[in-house]
Amino acid sequence: MAEFGPVREATVLETKIGKAIFYVTCAVSLWFFYWFAGIQCPC
């Protein structure tokens, strides 16, 4: 029970990090999609 506090703080921190990674992954995915589409389309 003594380590419940640190675990809870780590969970909140991991949630923030997880959200940051999620948004960065979405942004990179959209950029890669448009970049790859531009490479594939010769028009």
Side-chain angles (χ1 to χ4, degrees):
M1 298 299 273
E3 60 182 1
F4 177 77
V7 170
R8 185 177 179 82
E9 291 178 5
T11 302
V12 173
L13 180 61
E14 288 176 357
T15 300
K16 292 180 180 180
I17 294 175
K19 287 182 179 180
I21 293 175
F22 173 75
Y23 288 121
V24 170
T25 302
C26 288
V28 173
S29 298
L30 287 173
W31 172 82
F32 181 80
F33 173 77
Y34 284 112
W35 173 79
F36 189 74
I39 294 294
Q40 294 291 75
C41 180
C43 57

